[in-house]
Amino acid sequence: MVGGNIISAICMWLITLYLVRVNALEDLGTLSLVQSLGLVFFVFCTFRLINVQISDVNKEFSEVDYYFARVLSAILCISLISIYILFSNYSYLIKICCLVYAFYYALMILKEYFSANFQINKKYKNIFISNSLNGLLSCLGFVIAFYFTEN
């Protein structure tokens, strides 16, 4: 679990390093702003359901309940970010980036459901692979998108 988180964190660091290397400091500022804004809503919308799901040894709630709660949380996350940027004075580019990150954070909320199941079933290798792929694909996708759009 920790190894996958380390790989994911290194990949996020590589994104910032890439932006510095290509001298895209304004874009680096935009990325930092968008990530910061999105994380506020992401942390609020996860409700730390992963802890509840993992500690539910008596199976008080079904798998459908946990998944449905995650879907609602993801929708809430996208909605709150959308409402926030609707009334903000940010540029059009920053608003679009916030929406993209809203969907990214929504996917991370849904991913927590599977991570919790992996942990319950002691499939730690799957958590490592999932977190590693999350970081690697995010990094690769960002670099490719930035390279082709130059923005």
Side-chain angles (χ1 to χ4, degrees):
M1 223 165 59
V2 173
N5 288 337
I6 291 171
I7 290 173
S8 185
I10 288 170
C11 290
M12 292 300 119
W13 174 74
L14 288 174
I15 290 173
T16 60
L17 187 64
Y18 172 78
L19 289 173
V20 169
R21 294 283 182 210
V22 298
N23 203 24
L25 301 180
E26 186 175 328
D27 294 322
L28 180 59
T30 299
L31 176 66
S32 297
L33 174 66
V34 168
Q35 285 179 332
S36 298
L37 290 172
L39 277 174
V40 169
F41 296 102
F42 173 75
V43 169
F44 173 73
C45 291
T46 61
F47 302 113
R48 298 306 300 158
L49 288 172
I50 193 167
N51 295 338
V52 175
Q53 185 177 357
I54 292 168
S55 63
D56 185 10
V57 292
N58 295 330
K59 301 291 183 197
E60 293 179 41
F61 300 99
S62 71
E63 294 298 314
V64 173
D65 292 334
Y66 287 117
Y67 191 75
F68 185 69
R70 292 280 180 8
V71 169
L72 288 178
S73 297
I75 292 169
L76 179 65
C77 184
I78 292 169
S79 300
L80 289 175
I81 292 173
S82 298
I83 291 168
Y84 176 80
I85 63 173
L86 182 67
F87 295 106
S88 71
N89 292 327
Y90 294 117
S91 69
Y92 182 72
L93 174 67
I94 290 176
K95 288 181 178 185
I96 294 297
C97 291
C98 282
L99 276 178
V100 169
Y101 258 83
F103 282 95
Y104 172 76
Y105 288 131
L107 288 174
M108 292 303 99
I109 290 170
L110 294 175
K111 180 183 152 295
E112 275 194 347
Y113 167 80
F114 298 103
S115 294
N117 277 333
F118 290 150
Q119 189 166 349
I120 290 167
N121 297 314
K122 299 184 185 333
K123 295 185 178 186
Y124 302 115
K125 183 179 177 181
N126 292 0
I127 297 172
F128 170 79
I129 292 169
S130 174
N131 289 346
S132 298
L133 283 175
N134 175 42
L136 291 169
L137 293 175
S138 296
C139 183
L140 184 64
F142 181 88
V143 170
I144 289 170
F146 188 85
Y147 178 79
F148 286 111
T149 63
E150 296 179 6
N151 199 340

